[in-house]
Amino acid sequence: MNGLNTAAIYVLQTLGSLYLLIVLLRFTLQLVRADFYNPLCQFAVKATKPLLNPLRKVIPGFGGVDLASLVLALLVQLLLMIFTLLLMGAFDVALLPQLLIWAVIGVTALFVKIFFFALIASVILSWVAPGSYNPGAQLVNQLCEPLLMPIRRILPNLGGLDISPIFAFIALNLVDMLVIRNLAAMSRMPQLLSPFL
């Protein structure tokens, strides 16, 4: 593989993963019922609208879950993996069913990462800007609250010290280690596609 292919793969993975993040973030924001008047939510809506509107005509939502966003995320992940393998000269049509499984694993890994990094941002914001009305801070809190609320119900009150993010980090890391990594290994996901995990 020459330097031009390596550069093309880097650009493809960077830009494609960024768009995939926006699509999955839109799905996640609808899932947690975030405020869609937030400017960051509006950005996600406008960035994904051109590809989502045609899909929504075919794939309706179900029970408040935007299935079209989830299908778009899977399609973007699948195309990223196909183009990566094509540029590396490792693509085979026989891999398509397995690629679909790898795309599901990749989207699940990114879904977990969204919550992981939102938790990190939430912890930092609670130290430096508690109670901030910044649109970014509000969005991070709206993302983390559905994850932290069940943990807070179980933990005893520690006098204003919230340690629920620690348990959320542990849970997310366990999902990553025990579920996502094992699924990738069991499905024989090649090392070439490890950047998507």
Side-chain angles (χ1 to χ4, degrees):
M1 185 167 57
N2 62 25
L4 195 57
N5 272 9
T6 305
I9 290 167
Y10 170 73
V11 170
L12 173 78
Q13 287 180 346
T14 303
L15 296 179
S17 295
L18 182 61
Y19 188 73
L20 176 63
L21 175 66
I22 293 168
V23 171
L24 200 55
L25 195 57
R26 178 172 177 167
F27 170 76
T28 308
L29 292 172
Q30 286 180 319
L31 194 65
V32 300
R33 309 259 192 263
D35 175 20
F36 266 79
Y37 291 107
N38 187 311
L40 297 172
C41 288
Q42 288 298 311
F43 168 75
V45 168
K46 288 177 183 170
T48 55
K49 195 174 186 175
L51 293 178
L52 262 182
N53 280 351
L55 267 178
R56 283 213 169 112
K57 293 175 183 171
V58 182
I59 305 165
F62 179 75
V65 176
D66 184 18
L67 295 178
S69 295
L70 192 56
V71 169
L72 180 60
L74 286 170
L75 288 173
V76 170
Q77 181 72 79
L78 183 63
L79 288 173
L80 277 171
M81 289 180 167
I82 288 171
F83 284 121
T84 299
L85 291 175
L86 276 171
L87 287 168
M88 292 184 167
F91 179 74
D92 185 5
V93 180
L95 285 175
L96 279 176
Q98 218 164 358
L99 272 166
L100 188 57
I101 293 168
W102 296 337
V104 170
I105 294 169
V107 167
T108 307
L110 184 57
F111 188 70
V112 169
K113 283 179 190 170
I114 286 173
F115 284 104
F116 184 83
F117 287 110
L119 275 171
I120 290 175
S122 173
V123 169
I124 292 170
L125 285 169
S126 73
W127 293 337
V128 297
S132 174
Y133 292 104
N134 180 292
Q138 288 179 338
L139 195 62
V140 164
N141 289 332
Q142 288 172 347
L143 270 172
C144 294
E145 203 53 37
L147 189 64
L148 296 175
M149 191 56 67
I151 299 170
R152 286 184 185 138
R153 285 189 196 126
I154 297 168
L155 290 177
N157 187 352
L158 298 175
L161 182 63
D162 185 13
I163 61 168
S164 59
I166 295 170
F167 290 94
F169 281 126
I170 291 170
L172 290 173
N173 278 327
L174 285 174
V175 167
D176 185 46
M177 287 187 313
L178 300 177
V179 179
I180 295 169
R181 302 286 168 182
N182 283 334
L183 284 174
M186 286 189 314
S187 64
R188 296 190 180 125
M189 190 173 192
Q191 192 65 30
L192 304 170
L193 299 178
S194 63
F196 296 113
L197 288 181

PDB file of all heavy atoms in Angstrom, residues 16-39:
ATOM      1  N   GLY A  16     -15.510  10.612   7.226  1.00  0.00           N
ATOM      2  CA  GLY A  16     -16.642   9.692   7.327  1.00  0.00           C
ATOM      3  C   GLY A  16     -17.047   9.447   8.762  1.00  0.00           C
ATOM      4  O   GLY A  16     -18.233   9.422   9.093  1.00  0.00           O
ATOM      5  N   SER A  17     -16.063   9.273   9.637  1.00  0.00           N
ATOM      6  CA  SER A  17     -16.365   9.044  11.059  1.00  0.00           C
ATOM      7  C   SER A  17     -16.976  10.280  11.702  1.00  0.00           C
ATOM      8  O   SER A  17     -17.825  10.161  12.588  1.00  0.00           O
ATOM      9  CB  SER A  17     -15.101   8.629  11.809  1.00  0.00           C
ATOM     10  OG  SER A  17     -14.647   7.388  11.339  1.00  0.00           O
ATOM     11  N   LEU A  18     -16.571  11.461  11.251  1.00  0.00           N
ATOM     12  CA  LEU A  18     -17.157  12.698  11.773  1.00  0.00           C
ATOM     13  C   LEU A  18     -18.634  12.786  11.394  1.00  0.00           C
ATOM     14  O   LEU A  18     -19.485  13.096  12.240  1.00  0.00           O
ATOM     15  CB  LEU A  18     -16.396  13.914  11.238  1.00  0.00           C
ATOM     16  CG  LEU A  18     -16.852  15.280  11.729  1.00  0.00           C
ATOM     17  CD1 LEU A  18     -16.703  15.383  13.235  1.00  0.00           C
ATOM     18  CD2 LEU A  18     -16.070  16.377  11.044  1.00  0.00           C
ATOM     19  N   TYR A  19     -18.953  12.461  10.130  1.00  0.00           N
ATOM     20  CA  TYR A  19     -20.363  12.493   9.718  1.00  0.00           C
ATOM     21  C   TYR A  19     -21.151  11.394  10.439  1.00  0.00           C
ATOM     22  O   TYR A  19     -22.279  11.615  10.860  1.00  0.00           O
ATOM     23  CB  TYR A  19     -20.500  12.350   8.197  1.00  0.00           C
ATOM     24  CG  TYR A  19     -21.916  12.577   7.747  1.00  0.00           C
ATOM     25  CD1 TYR A  19     -22.458  13.862   7.744  1.00  0.00           C
ATOM     26  CD2 TYR A  19     -22.730  11.522   7.374  1.00  0.00           C
ATOM     27  CE1 TYR A  19     -23.766  14.086   7.371  1.00  0.00           C
ATOM     28  CE2 TYR A  19     -24.054  11.734   6.995  1.00  0.00           C
ATOM     29  CZ  TYR A  19     -24.559  13.015   6.987  1.00  0.00           C
ATOM     30  OH  TYR A  19     -25.863  13.233   6.634  1.00  0.00           O
ATOM     31  N   LEU A  20     -20.547  10.232  10.585  1.00  0.00           N
ATOM     32  CA  LEU A  20     -21.190   9.133  11.309  1.00  0.00           C
ATOM     33  C   LEU A  20     -21.488   9.557  12.744  1.00  0.00           C
ATOM     34  O   LEU A  20     -22.561   9.257  13.284  1.00  0.00           O
ATOM     35  CB  LEU A  20     -20.300   7.893  11.286  1.00  0.00           C
ATOM     36  CG  LEU A  20     -20.778   6.686  12.081  1.00  0.00           C
ATOM     37  CD1 LEU A  20     -22.098   6.155  11.532  1.00  0.00           C
ATOM     38  CD2 LEU A  20     -19.734   5.585  12.056  1.00  0.00           C
ATOM     39  N   LEU A  21     -20.566  10.257  13.362  1.00  0.00           N
ATOM     40  CA  LEU A  21     -20.767  10.758  14.724  1.00  0.00           C
ATOM     41  C   LEU A  21     -21.968  11.696  14.786  1.00  0.00           C
ATOM     42  O   LEU A  21     -22.796  11.607  15.692  1.00  0.00           O
ATOM     43  CB  LEU A  21     -19.508  11.471  15.222  1.00  0.00           C
ATOM     44  CG  LEU A  21     -19.608  12.146  16.578  1.00  0.00           C
ATOM     45  CD1 LEU A  21     -19.809  11.120  17.685  1.00  0.00           C
ATOM     46  CD2 LEU A  21     -18.379  12.989  16.843  1.00  0.00           C
ATOM     47  N   ILE A  22     -22.093  12.584  13.787  1.00  0.00           N
ATOM     48  CA  ILE A  22     -23.217  13.533  13.763  1.00  0.00           C
ATOM     49  C   ILE A  22     -24.545  12.786  13.606  1.00  0.00           C
ATOM     50  O   ILE A  22     -25.525  13.083  14.283  1.00  0.00           O
ATOM     51  CB  ILE A  22     -23.018  14.576  12.641  1.00  0.00           C
ATOM     52  CG1 ILE A  22     -21.817  15.470  12.958  1.00  0.00           C
ATOM     53  CG2 ILE A  22     -24.264  15.438  12.468  1.00  0.00           C
ATOM     54  CD1 ILE A  22     -21.354  16.332  11.807  1.00  0.00           C
ATOM     55  N   VAL A  23     -24.565  11.780  12.716  1.00  0.00           N
ATOM     56  CA  VAL A  23     -25.793  10.997  12.499  1.00  0.00           C
ATOM     57  C   VAL A  23     -26.170  10.248  13.778  1.00  0.00           C
ATOM     58  O   VAL A  23     -27.329  10.270  14.205  1.00  0.00           O
ATOM     59  CB  VAL A  23     -25.618  10.005  11.324  1.00  0.00           C
ATOM     60  CG1 VAL A  23     -26.799   9.048  11.236  1.00  0.00           C
ATOM     61  CG2 VAL A  23     -25.436  10.742  10.010  1.00  0.00           C
ATOM     62  N   LEU A  24     -25.206   9.604  14.393  1.00  0.00           N
ATOM     63  CA  LEU A  24     -25.489   8.835  15.604  1.00  0.00           C
ATOM     64  C   LEU A  24     -25.821   9.752  16.779  1.00  0.00           C
ATOM     65  O   LEU A  24     -26.625   9.401  17.640  1.00  0.00           O
ATOM     66  CB  LEU A  24     -24.304   7.928  15.942  1.00  0.00           C
ATOM     67  CG  LEU A  24     -24.608   6.757  16.858  1.00  0.00           C
ATOM     68  CD1 LEU A  24     -25.741   5.895  16.308  1.00  0.00           C
ATOM     69  CD2 LEU A  24     -23.386   5.897  17.055  1.00  0.00           C
ATOM     70  N   LEU A  25     -25.221  10.931  16.788  1.00  0.00           N
ATOM     71  CA  LEU A  25     -25.547  11.914  17.824  1.00  0.00           C
ATOM     72  C   LEU A  25     -27.000  12.366  17.680  1.00  0.00           C
ATOM     73  O   LEU A  25     -27.718  12.501  18.672  1.00  0.00           O
ATOM     74  CB  LEU A  25     -24.598  13.112  17.735  1.00  0.00           C
ATOM     75  CG  LEU A  25     -24.554  14.055  18.915  1.00  0.00           C
ATOM     76  CD1 LEU A  25     -24.212  13.316  20.191  1.00  0.00           C
ATOM     77  CD2 LEU A  25     -23.559  15.163  18.672  1.00  0.00           C
ATOM     78  N   ARG A  26     -27.438  12.536  16.431  1.00  0.00           N
ATOM     79  CA  ARG A  26     -28.845  12.909  16.222  1.00  0.00           C
ATOM     80  C   ARG A  26     -29.771  11.800  16.735  1.00  0.00           C
ATOM     81  O   ARG A  26     -30.766  12.080  17.398  1.00  0.00           O
ATOM     82  CB  ARG A  26     -29.115  13.173  14.743  1.00  0.00           C
ATOM     83  CG  ARG A  26     -30.567  13.520  14.517  1.00  0.00           C
ATOM     84  CD  ARG A  26     -30.866  13.974  13.136  1.00  0.00           C
ATOM     85  NE  ARG A  26     -32.300  14.219  13.019  1.00  0.00           N
ATOM     86  CZ  ARG A  26     -32.842  14.854  12.022  1.00  0.00           C
ATOM     87  NH1 ARG A  26     -32.097  15.336  11.056  1.00  0.00           N
ATOM     88  NH2 ARG A  26     -34.145  15.028  11.967  1.00  0.00           N
ATOM     89  N   PHE A  27     -29.437  10.556  16.440  1.00  0.00           N
ATOM     90  CA  PHE A  27     -30.226   9.435  16.938  1.00  0.00           C
ATOM     91  C   PHE A  27     -30.248   9.433  18.463  1.00  0.00           C
ATOM     92  O   PHE A  27     -31.302   9.281  19.090  1.00  0.00           O
ATOM     93  CB  PHE A  27     -29.662   8.116  16.410  1.00  0.00           C
ATOM     94  CG  PHE A  27     -30.257   6.900  17.063  1.00  0.00           C
ATOM     95  CD1 PHE A  27     -31.523   6.462  16.718  1.00  0.00           C
ATOM     96  CD2 PHE A  27     -29.553   6.198  18.034  1.00  0.00           C
ATOM     97  CE1 PHE A  27     -32.084   5.348  17.334  1.00  0.00           C
ATOM     98  CE2 PHE A  27     -30.103   5.078  18.640  1.00  0.00           C
ATOM     99  CZ  PHE A  27     -31.376   4.658  18.291  1.00  0.00           C
ATOM    100  N   THR A  28     -29.085   9.632  19.069  1.00  0.00           N
ATOM    101  CA  THR A  28     -28.960   9.609  20.524  1.00  0.00           C
ATOM    102  C   THR A  28     -29.727  10.763  21.163  1.00  0.00           C
ATOM    103  O   THR A  28     -30.391  10.582  22.188  1.00  0.00           O
ATOM    104  CB  THR A  28     -27.473   9.670  20.934  1.00  0.00           C
ATOM    105  OG1 THR A  28     -26.761   8.653  20.242  1.00  0.00           O
ATOM    106  CG2 THR A  28     -27.299   9.474  22.417  1.00  0.00           C
ATOM    107  N   LEU A  29     -29.658  11.938  20.551  1.00  0.00           N
ATOM    108  CA  LEU A  29     -30.362  13.100  21.099  1.00  0.00           C
ATOM    109  C   LEU A  29     -31.868  12.893  21.080  1.00  0.00           C
ATOM    110  O   LEU A  29     -32.573  13.306  21.999  1.00  0.00           O
ATOM    111  CB  LEU A  29     -29.982  14.364  20.318  1.00  0.00           C
ATOM    112  CG  LEU A  29     -28.537  14.827  20.501  1.00  0.00           C
ATOM    113  CD1 LEU A  29     -28.216  15.951  19.536  1.00  0.00           C
ATOM    114  CD2 LEU A  29     -28.268  15.230  21.932  1.00  0.00           C
ATOM    115  N   GLN A  30     -32.368  12.236  20.036  1.00  0.00           N
ATOM    116  CA  GLN A  30     -33.800  11.936  19.999  1.00  0.00           C
ATOM    117  C   GLN A  30     -34.145  10.858  21.021  1.00  0.00           C
ATOM    118  O   GLN A  30     -35.213  10.887  21.615  1.00  0.00           O
ATOM    119  CB  GLN A  30     -34.215  11.506  18.593  1.00  0.00           C
ATOM    120  CG  GLN A  30     -34.259  12.676  17.637  1.00  0.00           C
ATOM    121  CD  GLN A  30     -34.665  12.274  16.251  1.00  0.00           C
ATOM    122  OE1 GLN A  30     -34.243  11.241  15.743  1.00  0.00           O
ATOM    123  NE2 GLN A  30     -35.488  13.091  15.625  1.00  0.00           N
ATOM    124  N   LEU A  31     -33.225   9.940  21.208  1.00  0.00           N
ATOM    125  CA  LEU A  31     -33.451   8.849  22.155  1.00  0.00           C
ATOM    126  C   LEU A  31     -33.559   9.359  23.593  1.00  0.00           C
ATOM    127  O   LEU A  31     -34.401   8.903  24.359  1.00  0.00           O
ATOM    128  CB  LEU A  31     -32.313   7.831  22.040  1.00  0.00           C
ATOM    129  CG  LEU A  31     -32.509   6.473  22.677  1.00  0.00           C
ATOM    130  CD1 LEU A  31     -33.642   5.724  21.970  1.00  0.00           C
ATOM    131  CD2 LEU A  31     -31.229   5.664  22.590  1.00  0.00           C
ATOM    132  N   VAL A  32     -32.713  10.336  23.944  1.00  0.00           N
ATOM    133  CA  VAL A  32     -32.723  10.881  25.310  1.00  0.00           C
ATOM    134  C   VAL A  32     -33.656  12.077  25.454  1.00  0.00           C
ATOM    135  O   VAL A  32     -33.710  12.705  26.502  1.00  0.00           O
ATOM    136  CB  VAL A  32     -31.292  11.253  25.797  1.00  0.00           C
ATOM    137  CG1 VAL A  32     -30.392  10.051  25.808  1.00  0.00           C
ATOM    138  CG2 VAL A  32     -30.704  12.397  24.985  1.00  0.00           C
ATOM    139  N   ARG A  33     -34.378  12.393  24.386  1.00  0.00           N
ATOM    140  CA  ARG A  33     -35.334  13.506  24.368  1.00  0.00           C
ATOM    141  C   ARG A  33     -34.666  14.846  24.704  1.00  0.00           C
ATOM    142  O   ARG A  33     -35.141  15.605  25.558  1.00  0.00           O
ATOM    143  CB  ARG A  33     -36.485  13.258  25.332  1.00  0.00           C
ATOM    144  CG  ARG A  33     -37.153  11.908  25.181  1.00  0.00           C
ATOM    145  CD  ARG A  33     -38.419  12.013  24.416  1.00  0.00           C
ATOM    146  NE  ARG A  33     -39.215  10.803  24.485  1.00  0.00           N
ATOM    147  CZ  ARG A  33     -39.193   9.863  23.543  1.00  0.00           C
ATOM    148  NH1 ARG A  33     -38.404   9.970  22.505  1.00  0.00           N
ATOM    149  NH2 ARG A  33     -39.976   8.802  23.653  1.00  0.00           N
ATOM    150  N   ALA A  34     -33.551  15.114  24.033  1.00  0.00           N
ATOM    151  CA  ALA A  34     -32.835  16.378  24.250  1.00  0.00           C
ATOM    152  C   ALA A  34     -33.628  17.534  23.643  1.00  0.00           C
ATOM    153  O   ALA A  34     -34.496  17.331  22.785  1.00  0.00           O
ATOM    154  CB  ALA A  34     -31.451  16.302  23.601  1.00  0.00           C
ATOM    155  N   ASP A  35     -33.312  18.730  24.079  1.00  0.00           N
ATOM    156  CA  ASP A  35     -33.970  19.940  23.598  1.00  0.00           C
ATOM    157  C   ASP A  35     -33.511  20.229  22.169  1.00  0.00           C
ATOM    158  O   ASP A  35     -32.358  20.591  21.948  1.00  0.00           O
ATOM    159  CB  ASP A  35     -33.616  21.109  24.521  1.00  0.00           C
ATOM    160  CG  ASP A  35     -34.154  22.432  24.025  1.00  0.00           C
ATOM    161  OD1 ASP A  35     -35.097  22.429  23.205  1.00  0.00           O
ATOM    162  OD2 ASP A  35     -33.632  23.473  24.461  1.00  0.00           O
ATOM    163  N   PHE A  36     -34.417  20.087  21.207  1.00  0.00           N
ATOM    164  CA  PHE A  36     -34.024  20.270  19.812  1.00  0.00           C
ATOM    165  C   PHE A  36     -33.978  21.726  19.388  1.00  0.00           C
ATOM    166  O   PHE A  36     -33.676  22.027  18.239  1.00  0.00           O
ATOM    167  CB  PHE A  36     -34.913  19.416  18.884  1.00  0.00           C
ATOM    168  CG  PHE A  36     -34.279  18.097  18.584  1.00  0.00           C
ATOM    169  CD1 PHE A  36     -34.332  17.071  19.502  1.00  0.00           C
ATOM    170  CD2 PHE A  36     -33.570  17.887  17.413  1.00  0.00           C
ATOM    171  CE1 PHE A  36     -33.719  15.861  19.255  1.00  0.00           C
ATOM    172  CE2 PHE A  36     -32.948  16.682  17.157  1.00  0.00           C
ATOM    173  CZ  PHE A  36     -33.026  15.669  18.074  1.00  0.00           C
ATOM    174  N   TYR A  37     -34.260  22.646  20.306  1.00  0.00           N
ATOM    175  CA  TYR A  37     -34.060  24.064  20.007  1.00  0.00           C
ATOM    176  C   TYR A  37     -32.633  24.493  20.345  1.00  0.00           C
ATOM    177  O   TYR A  37     -32.238  25.615  20.050  1.00  0.00           O
ATOM    178  CB  TYR A  37     -35.082  24.918  20.761  1.00  0.00           C
ATOM    179  CG  TYR A  37     -36.480  24.706  20.232  1.00  0.00           C
ATOM    180  CD1 TYR A  37     -37.411  23.977  20.968  1.00  0.00           C
ATOM    181  CD2 TYR A  37     -36.850  25.193  18.985  1.00  0.00           C
ATOM    182  CE1 TYR A  37     -38.688  23.756  20.479  1.00  0.00           C
ATOM    183  CE2 TYR A  37     -38.124  24.976  18.483  1.00  0.00           C
ATOM    184  CZ  TYR A  37     -39.037  24.252  19.234  1.00  0.00           C
ATOM    185  OH  TYR A  37     -40.293  24.027  18.741  1.00  0.00           O
ATOM    186  N   ASN A  38     -31.884  23.598  20.963  1.00  0.00           N
ATOM    187  CA  ASN A  38     -30.474  23.841  21.253  1.00  0.00           C
ATOM    188  C   ASN A  38     -29.727  24.015  19.931  1.00  0.00           C
ATOM    189  O   ASN A  38     -29.928  23.239  19.004  1.00  0.00           O
ATOM    190  CB  ASN A  38     -29.926  22.637  22.039  1.00  0.00           C
ATOM    191  CG  ASN A  38     -28.525  22.851  22.538  1.00  0.00           C
ATOM    192  OD1 ASN A  38     -27.642  23.257  21.798  1.00  0.00           O
ATOM    193  ND2 ASN A  38     -28.316  22.561  23.800  1.00  0.00           N
ATOM    194  N   PRO A  39     -28.857  25.026  19.806  1.00  0.00           N
ATOM    195  CA  PRO A  39     -28.146  25.259  18.540  1.00  0.00           C
ATOM    196  C   PRO A  39     -27.320  24.053  18.073  1.00  0.00           C
ATOM    197  O   PRO A  39     -27.206  23.809  16.864  1.00  0.00           O
ATOM    198  CB  PRO A  39     -27.222  26.448  18.842  1.00  0.00           C
ATOM    199  CG  PRO A  39     -27.741  27.069  20.073  1.00  0.00           C
ATOM    200  CD  PRO A  39     -28.545  26.047  20.806  1.00  0.00           C
TER     201      PRO A  39
END
